[in-house]
Amino acid sequence: MDTNCIFCRIAAGEIPSTKIYENDKVLAFLDISPMERGHTLIVPRRHWATMADLPSGDPETEAVMSEWFRVARLVCKAAIKAFGGGANLLQCNGPAAGQTVPHLHLHVIPRPGTVETQPSFVSGARAYSSDVEREATAELLRRYLR
Ligand code: AMP
Ligand code: ZN
């Protein structure tokens, strides 16, 4: 654990988050500045900053990667069932790619409806109107993950 890392601290339960799924390898929680309703981050518990920091050929790392993508896939499926439409997966490596939190994470961004316009990737574009709306959104995703 990196004690200066916000996602390590969320994983350790030191900083609150709206979790929708967790196990011993990964956790998934709502993004604090959502691009869309239900925007979720899938985060390995172990600290690596970027893809470039992952060792290759290490079975333990491979197991985490496999679990990371399995959960991303389930959250993506849950988002489409919960909100309709489609979903984007986004993963940023380094400031040049727009990474602001240097702890590996995958974004799942629901794209409700059927509008065929270019999706927006603006952080905070769809803030929750209340804690109640945020919790109801999380509960909907949790339900479709079961
Ligand atoms: P990236 O630009 O890929 O590094 O994305 C980092 C994401 O983390 C942004 O979408 C932020 O809104 C989100 N974020 C930052 N702090 C928190 C937090 N405490 N809880 C949930 N999401 C966060
Ligand atoms: Zn970390």
Side-chain angles (χ1 to χ4, degrees):
M1 170 172 173
D2 178 338
T3 50
N4 294 317
C5 170
I6 191 157
F7 287 176
C8 280
R9 297 188 66 199
I10 286 176
E14 292 177 10
I15 292 179
S17 67
T18 307
K19 286 194 192 104
I20 62 160
Y21 181 86
E22 67 180 317
N23 64 27
D24 62 329
K25 292 189 176 64
V26 301
L27 68 158
F29 53 90
L30 294 186
D31 195 294
I32 207 164
S33 299
M35 295 177 194
E36 249 308 342
R37 181 181 181 213
H39 180 170
T40 299
L41 302 175
I42 324 298
V43 177
R45 286 186 181 279
R46 208 166 141 186
H47 182 92
W48 293 286
T50 70
M51 289 284 200
D53 299 303
L54 290 164
S56 40
D58 169 44
E60 238 180 80
T61 305
E62 296 302 327
V64 174
M65 290 298 96
S66 162
E67 186 58 16
W68 187 40
F69 206 76
R70 186 188 73 84
V71 174
R73 178 168 56 82
L74 292 181
V75 172
C76 186
K77 200 169 163 182
I80 291 168
K81 280 190 189 158
F83 307 115
N88 291 112
L89 258 66
L90 172 70
Q91 201 271 318
C92 307
N93 297 279
Q99 186 179 20
T100 58
V101 177
H103 179 128
L104 205 62
H105 55 279
L106 253 167
H107 299 251
V108 174
I109 308 153
R111 300 299 183 181
T114 54
V115 183
E116 290 174 21
T117 51
Q118 283 296 320
S120 155
F121 289 89
V122 176
S123 186
R126 175 60 169 84
Y128 298 106
S129 56
S130 63
D131 291 350
V132 172
E133 191 199 16
R134 184 188 303 105
E135 186 46 43
T137 301
E139 193 46 39
L140 199 56
L141 286 169
R142 290 182 198 117
R143 191 188 313 154
Y144 282 107
L145 276 170
R146 278 179 211 128

